[in-house]
Amino acid sequence: MSETQTAPPPASAARSHAFVASGDIPPSPPPASEVGPVRWVRENLFSGWVNSILTLLSLLAMYGLLSALVPWLFLNSVWSPDPMSLNGCREVNAHGACLAVINERWLQFVFGFYPAEQYWRPTLAFGLMIVALWPVLFDSAPRPMLWLTAAYPAIGYWLVWGGSVWGPALALAAPAAGYFVWLYGGVLINRIWGEDFGAIMSLVAGGLAMVLWWMFAVVLLDGVISDVLPLGLEPVESSKLGGFLLSMIIGATGIAASLPLGILLALGRQSSLFIVKAICVAFIECMRGVPLITLLFVASTLLNYFLPPGTEFDVILRVCIMVTFFASAYMAEVIRGGLASLPKGQYEAGDAMGLDYWKSMRLIILPQALKVSIPAIVNTFIGLFKDTVLVSQISLFDPLGLLNPIRADAAWNGIVWELYGFVALFFFVFCFGMSRYSMYLERKLKTDHR
Amino acid sequence: MMFRSILGAAVASFVASTAFAGTLDDVKAKGYVDCGINTGLVGFAAPDADGEWSGFDVAICQAVAAAVFGDATKVKYKSLTGKTRFTALASGEVDLLSRNTTWTFSRDVDLGFEFVGVNYYDGQGFMVPKELEVGSAKDLGGATVCIQTGTTTELNLADYFRANGMEYEPVPIETNTEAQQKYLSGACDVYTTDASGLAATRASFESPGDHVVLPEIISKEPLGPLVRHGDNQWGDIARWTLNALVTAEELGVTAANADEMAANSTNPEIRRLLGAEGGLGAMLGVSDDFALNAIKVNGNYAEIFDANIGPETAIGLQRGLNALYKDGGILYSPPFR
């Protein structure tokens, strides 16, 4: 046989073959059990008898949960009984969620006791906040929008609390005042101290001018201009703020302010300047060493004793400051961890390039340290945002603090699950969003060699 | 209720020596009364869907504001927790605390406050499921009891069971909400707190008829508004505003007929109360018709009681001890003279 095969076939022999493949045979589809969902299920859910049992148990548990939850929350829930009360709900359907309480009070959950005809102000402030955050969070935004971001704290404050427009506007003008002093006062200072020392001194003078402007000029000029040209929104007191609005104010302020403050503290803690280092260490350890609720009690009650009677020092402002301090102490430690993870060579590289301290930090050290710290930073943010519910203990009506007054309404006394579930949903949405953003950021900044 | 905050107590006593004089002048200068109220207690203080506060304690705030300014809206409410209420009053954050606070010796004397009267005589009671067939608190030996920790109710409970030679097993809870859940799920046989709180809790149940409040009241909880020590004029204003509401009930003056009575009544007591003669308001440093203004806000004591916690409301409390002395209760106002 082998001989006949090695010989070239005669031309007429082509006929003797019924079929000659002109190409590769297309691969036949794998068996049904090895593809698609079936395979996925087999490999992931039923890969062994232990896993199969676990899968079945999980399915059973999920069925148990959903079969209780879905009818309660969707099929049997009561949105608008008559009368609007827990007993009204029970008359319509005693086995469903009484979501009528959310229906009646959701505006209170969002705005607290904010005057209804002014709801557009916090709404606009929230919308502007998203616009102001855009250039910070995503590269796709046009860069000039960062000016809006810089101005946003004053705009947001003015929209929410109202009052004269001139106060926040003048507060925004402080950098201009500082710049003016730095530019023109700098010439004078250069003459006094000479070129070597003059640069830093005029910077100090500029900073000092900003602080003085904030402390004295703003109040003074605000009074004068408001007399001439009163322009503003109806003032809203802090006691009217509540609900998610309050959570957002405290959370956003704490998050936005604690990151820069935390970076400075972390750098200060590593500083070779003794006093700077001592102050930073003392601040971090003191703030981190006490529970947040203690700081909140200090802000809400103890400060009243130390301030002169009649001082109007807004309680929400006090709380924001305390929360920011607390979070920045944690943030400092998180970032210190990031700094410590960098090899010493990176610091030396910065020095070898001839960069000064701030440049080497800004261009070489911090970008790497912050990138490493992203998960921990966002972790701190999420923790901070959830910690804002502690203010319910000092009689502020954050979403959790609102539950008590709502249940104190005789119509809603006795409702528990619906209210807590609603608040939990709100916090979940925001915390989940932050967590997703952090993962996006990690992917975007991923430059390592894994 | 009866929380005692150690922080609050310590700090309050620390500053108690500081004299706060001229509260009335301060209040008039700023144009409103800062009134401390509960963060939410059924019938006593609760906001509606528009954020307007109302309730039995809130009505006192409004009456005092009306007595000072002739305008019940000139009041700002500060919601206070059991932990923050005393510091808020001591530090001057509020001018008047009307937050179902039990009048006790140490709060009056040691914390440096002045209770201006009693607007509700409460007492600690017990609630049990009907199916347990308990008719008296004396039958509660061996029961598990849901009890709020850190309150005077906890101490009262221990006293009562010891005095009657009974054993009990406490189930410590933190808030009223928690208590409702625990009690309904059967984690405890008995729930004990102030009788008014029990009534409100029971009213919120799906089937209130399955639960009974036992007849025994084992403690005295006189709840009343209070002010700081050391400013007798301001204390007098609050005290006599409260007295005016009680006296108005006694004399049949209501929100509806007060104006007419002030103009036409010939009864000298009514005329003095409503400022038609006697010049009582001037002695207090407010206008003569201060009581008239206070009564016109929410009516007299009976009207306030019925509107917020009375038998027609969801809570459905009977007057009981809180009836006028001539109706079998112990409400008794000194005369307006």
Side-chain angles (χ1 to χ4, degrees), chain A residues 86 90 94 104-105 108 113 237 297 300-302 304-305 392-395 397 404-405 407-410 413-414 416-417, chain B residues 11 15 39-42 45-49 51 53 76 79-81 84 87 90-91 93 177 180-181 200 204-206:
Chain A
L86 179 58
R90 283 169 179 160
E104 188 188 275
R105 297 293 180 120
Q108 215 164 57
F113 302 127
E237 292 160 38
F297 272 119
S300 79
T301 54
L302 275 183
N304 285 351
Y305 291 116
S392 63
Q393 292 302 308
I394 54 167
S395 317
F397 291 113
N404 196 35
R407 267 199 315 266
D409 187 336
N413 189 17
V416 178
W417 294 99
Chain B
V11 175
V15 291
T39 54
L41 180 66
V42 184
D48 63 10
W53 288 84
K76 281 191 185 169
S79 292
L80 301 170
T81 62
T84 56
T87 37
S91 69
E93 202 181 334
T177 315
Q180 292 184 18
Q181 292 291 308
S204 75
F205 289 166
E206 203 164 346

Side-chain angles (χ1 to χ4, degrees), chain A residues 222-396:
Chain A
D222 183 23
V224 174
I225 303 180
S226 297
D227 280 346
V228 181
L229 186 63
L231 193 64
L233 292 167
E234 189 189 318
V236 175
E237 292 160 38
S238 284
S239 60
K240 301 275 180 202
L241 300 182
F244 301 141
L245 172 63
L246 184 62
S247 292
M248 292 300 296
I249 289 174
I250 299 173
T253 313
I255 286 173
S258 68
L259 184 59
L261 205 56
I263 292 174
L264 288 181
L265 284 169
L267 292 179
R269 193 170 188 162
Q270 296 208 323
S271 170
S272 51
L273 305 171
F274 174 73
I275 301 218
V276 171
K277 182 173 180 171
I279 290 175
C280 289
V281 169
F283 181 91
I284 292 170
E285 296 302 338
C286 287
M287 282 293 159
R288 218 166 44 132
V290 289
L292 179 57
I293 189 77
T294 316
L295 293 176
L296 292 179
F297 272 119
V298 167
S300 79
T301 54
L302 275 183
L303 273 184
N304 285 351
Y305 291 116
F306 300 135
L307 297 169
T311 317
E312 285 287 318
F313 187 9
D314 193 276
V315 67
I316 293 181
L317 190 62
R318 282 183 266 168
V319 166
C320 282
I321 292 173
M322 283 301 185
V323 168
T324 303
F325 282 177
F326 185 76
S328 58
Y330 274 87
M331 192 58 69
E333 289 299 282
V334 163
I335 291 167
R336 192 169 69 92
L339 291 173
S341 73
L342 294 189
K344 198 160 177 250
Q346 295 294 324
Y347 292 87
E348 291 168 351
D351 292 342
M353 298 281 288
L355 301 175
D356 64 17
Y357 176 77
W358 290 108
K359 270 192 181 148
S360 75
M361 284 300 141
R362 190 165 61 86
L363 298 173
I364 295 184
I365 304 300
L366 281 179
Q368 302 182 66
L370 290 180
K371 195 191 81 181
V372 175
S373 319
I374 286 172
I377 289 175
V378 176
N379 199 23
T380 309
F381 284 167
I382 290 177
L384 161 69
F385 189 61
K386 287 188 296 184
D387 279 351
T388 59
V389 297
L390 280 177
V391 300
S392 63
Q393 292 302 308
I394 54 167
S395 317
L396 288 179

Side-chain angles (χ1 to χ4, degrees), chain B residues 206-248:
Chain B
E206 203 164 346
S207 43
D210 294 348
H211 306 271
V212 285
V213 176
L214 299 178
E216 282 87 354
I217 298 292
I218 64 165
S219 73
K220 291 188 284 189
E221 309 283 350
L223 311 179
L226 55 157
V227 296
R228 284 180 294 275
H229 255 179
D231 186 353
N232 293 350
Q233 185 190 23
W234 180 248
D236 284 345
I237 290 173
R239 174 176 300 112
W240 285 97
T241 304
L242 179 60
N243 283 340
L245 300 177
V246 176
T247 307

